[in-house]
Amino acid sequence: MNLRMNFPGLRAIYQFEMARTWRTLFQSVVSPVVTTTLYFIVFGAAIGSRITEINGVTFAAFIIPGLIMLSILTESVSNASFGIHLPRFTGTIYELLSAPVSSLEVVLGYVGAAATKSIVLGFIILATARLFVDYDIAHPVAMVCILVVTAITFSLFGFIIGIWADNFEKLQFVPMLVITPLTFLGGSFYSIDMLPPFWRTLTLFNPVVYLISAFRWSFYDTADVPIGISIVMIFLFLTVCIGVVCWIFQTGYRLKN
Amino acid sequence: MPPDSDEKPARIANNSPESAISVSKLSKIYAGGHAALTDIDLEIRKGEIFALLGPNGAGKTTLISIICGIVSPTSGRITAGGDDVIRDYRKTRTKIGLVPQELTTDAFETVWNTVSFSRGLFGKKPDPAFIERTLRDLSLWDRKDSKIITLSGGMKRRVLIAKALSHEPEILFLDEPTAGVDVELRRGMWDMVRKLQETGVTIILTTHYIEEAEEMADRIGVINGGRIVLVEDKAALMKKLGKKELRLHLHHPMQTIPADLSGHDLALEGDGNTLVFTFDTQAERTGTTRLLGDLDRLEIRFSDLDTRQRSLEDIFVSVVGESS
Ligand SMILES: Nc1ncnc2c1ncn2[C@@H]1O[C@H](COP(=O)(O)OP(=O)(O)O)[C@@H](O)[C@H]1O
Ligand SMILES: [Mg+2]
């Protein structure tokens, strides 16, 4: 139907969203770095000194992939959800809806910008971690791929939340009451093998487990869940998110009256 | 995307004069079940200033929102320059600019950035010189680096206009551009709209100020209760419905109109001090001479007289009154 892309339109949305990041640089980048540092001090240095190695990796090194995932997930969701929610809230969405941009360009712009920000953040945390602990990356290419795909998936998820939420409470609710618990309980700071059997089984229903497991595998070549299963789960979640976004645009859900 | 220069006049149903927007059988029922628009048929001609006049809640914003793609129609079809606004939305939206009724802006953006953003969003390559000209024309150049939140209401409105003009649209919608704007700014707005028309832009403005439609429009559409009640050339409308009044200020007030004058369309106003005669300027005989003769015969004296064109307001009241 409309095969030609509106590249200036896509660029405008992407740059607009990135500009918002620069305007809120402190909130966007500095505060997650500070938080991560605190995690290292508390978990890595204080508690970690009392925990022996997990699967041959020191505790401080073990938590790095989980910490990065924690930030990527929360930041992707909150950035993307806020990015699309704000124009709905202020009413400036009228311009987006009346512009010659397709839903593809809108999603690429908003989700692309949110994912970019998360990816950059992931690398900043990775570099920050270097100040505290030595680590190896066994599969660097896989590591980058998982990072990128996760950032995109959760930015899509955030985009959906931003459209679904009709107020700011709901917008805050999901990152705080869904993403953070799932990440904490998803093996950010422990191996799920350490859990009693019942909890271990229950944990397998937590999609974040697969992300963290796969990501940790890319660092240390050890995983809670077989890497193949993790990858299937990651793409499954990505597919679901893409499907929901397509449905949103087809129906105009919460976008058009 | 460059605007499409290959217009297809052959596809335009209304052959004289060229149609900019064509709305047919458009209806909108909102989710709550409220019928905001019913069976709207409307042609906007290329290059004209069209005023959509109607009271609050008439459906003006809904109509504009559907044409621009912000609200989905329940049924009906709209074309802009011959292209369907839903199927060929890229083509049509590239041609259309919209200044919304509400002052919705990105508070923390600068004027320059928000206008440049709009241009990009509508598929145009950056053109700083064009944006500079637009901002200068709208007296916003001095404030180009100001955050929008620091601007006055009138300036914000102009920022929205600059955004709508940033992609050089052929058709501009102005939804209540002068609502809550003081007289001086209103005049400025009208001047700007006329200048735009001179450059070939088709302008559709909504208003509930009759004087605005009267002042600005080439044609006027009256909408009420979600239905188009009437569409006319302004001049024709004024002529057709534009009766004149002859007002006679009497020497001696009257309690009732004498029976001898019952053949004339007369009314008393101002405690019987003013006798008002309504006549049709288009009629072969207006009846003024006969009235004056009769008054003379009855020795009814008056100190002064004047005539007055019925304003659009009067027309509007009678049209809307009939339709509801
Ligand atoms: N989003 C909406 N949901 C339900 N009803 C609406 C919505 N927007 C407008 N309406 C109703 O539709 C009618 C027309 O509104 P609108 O187009 O804004 O009128 P106008 O611009 O002429 O004042 C009004 O009765 C209004 O209450
Ligand atoms: Mg309105």
Side-chain angles (χ1 to χ4, degrees), chain A residues 170-208:
Chain A
K170 283 189 186 169
L171 205 63
Q172 303 278 326
F173 171 87
V174 173
M176 228 169 57
L177 292 180
V178 179
I179 300 296
T180 307
L182 285 184
T183 315
F184 266 87
L185 301 176
S188 298
F189 305 112
Y190 56 86
S191 163
I192 62 168
D193 291 338
M194 295 157 100
L195 296 173
F198 170 76
W199 290 106
R200 195 186 313 157
T201 312
L202 195 68
T203 293
L204 293 177
F205 289 96
N206 176 357
V208 178

Side-chain angles (χ1 to χ4, degrees), chain B:
Chain B
M1 250 192 316
D4 294 276
S5 48
D6 53 326
E7 299 294 351
K8 298 184 194 72
R11 285 175 61 187
I12 294 161
N14 178 352
N15 38 17
S16 73
E18 253 188 299
S19 157
I21 303 249
S22 166
V23 178
S24 66
K25 298 253 167 301
L26 179 71
S27 294
K28 173 65 187 179
I29 299 169
Y30 277 111
H34 178 77
L37 295 176
T38 309
D39 254 354
I40 301 278
D41 286 305
L42 187 62
E43 295 283 334
I44 310 288
R45 296 172 191 160
K46 233 173 219 174
E48 73 175 342
I49 297 179
F50 186 90
L52 193 59
L53 182 63
N56 278 324
K60 303 181 295 293
T61 299
T62 302
L63 178 56
I64 288 188
S65 300
I66 293 175
I67 297 173
C68 294
I70 298 162
V71 169
S72 307
T74 304
S75 62
R77 184 161 184 263
I78 301 164
T79 58
D83 296 308
D84 190 292
V85 297
I86 292 175
R87 207 190 54 222
D88 301 318
Y89 71 94
R90 288 218 206 246
K91 261 179 139 179
T92 61
R93 292 184 191 177
T94 307
K95 291 180 209 165
I96 295 176
L98 164 66
V99 182
Q101 182 175 352
E102 307 293 335
L103 290 176
T104 46
T105 53
D106 289 301
F108 302 104
E109 280 287 325
T110 65
V111 171
W112 179 269
N113 284 348
T114 198
V115 176
S116 305
F117 166 78
S118 298
R119 185 175 169 88
L121 192 65
F122 279 74
K124 290 275 181 142
K125 296 218 165 56
D127 185 347
F130 176 79
I131 293 188
E132 175 174 346
R133 218 161 17 181
T134 307
L135 292 182
R136 283 189 191 280
D137 285 348
L138 290 163
S139 317
L140 285 169
W141 182 246
D142 295 343
R143 305 300 300 269
K144 72 180 162 63
D145 296 318
S146 303
K147 286 196 162 76
I148 295 170
I149 197 170
T150 66
L151 304 181
S152 68
M155 283 180 174
K156 281 183 188 146
R157 177 81 59 192
R158 278 179 280 143
V159 170
L160 289 177
I161 295 172
K163 279 166 78 72
L165 294 176
S166 67
H167 64 282
E168 303 163 61
E170 296 164 26
I171 301 166
L172 182 69
F173 284 94
L174 292 155
D175 197 356
E176 309 225 2
T178 57
V181 167
D182 66 42
V183 179
E184 198 178 324
L185 283 174
R186 195 175 298 175
R187 298 249 160 238
M189 186 77 69
W190 293 346
D191 289 343
M192 185 216 74
V193 169
R194 284 200 196 89
K195 267 195 219 146
L196 272 174
Q197 186 190 29
E198 280 163 23
T199 67
V201 178
T202 305
I203 291 148
I204 297 103
L205 59 90
T206 72
T207 181
H208 56 253
Y209 297 127
I210 285 133
E211 56 171 75
E212 188 157 78
E214 198 165 357
E215 172 83 25
M216 296 297 304
D218 299 316
R219 287 197 311 145
I220 294 171
V222 178
I223 183 170
N224 189 45
R227 289 172 194 272
I228 296 277
V229 182
L230 156 142
V231 178
E232 281 282 3
D233 277 345
K234 183 180 67 187
L237 184 66
M238 300 301 297
K239 257 188 205 155
K240 188 162 145 193
L241 294 164
K243 293 190 176 166
K244 265 196 169 175
E245 288 173 353
L246 173 66
R247 305 172 70 84
L248 303 163
H249 303 277
L250 302 172
H251 258 307
H252 305 290
M254 279 181 193
Q255 251 55 56
T256 52
I257 296 166
D260 287 343
L261 293 176
S262 62
H264 305 280
D265 183 0
L266 287 172
L268 277 171
E269 273 181 24
D271 286 335
N273 281 304
T274 311
L275 190 63
V276 182
F277 174 56
T278 307
F279 63 97
D280 190 345
T281 49
Q282 298 309 104
E284 211 143 291
R285 290 213 172 87
T286 58
T288 41
T289 319
R290 200 160 55 83
L291 174 70
L292 293 178
D294 286 350
L295 291 177
D296 194 38
R297 214 160 32 75
L298 295 169
E299 299 193 331
I300 297 170
R301 306 270 173 253
F302 47 91
S303 56
D304 195 6
L305 87 178
D306 59 74
T307 63
R308 183 167 89 86
Q309 185 92 41
R310 280 211 332 171
S311 71
L312 254 176
E313 180 125 30
D314 304 328
I315 296 169
F316 182 70
V317 167
S318 65
V319 168
V320 168
E322 278 163 27
S323 76
S324 56

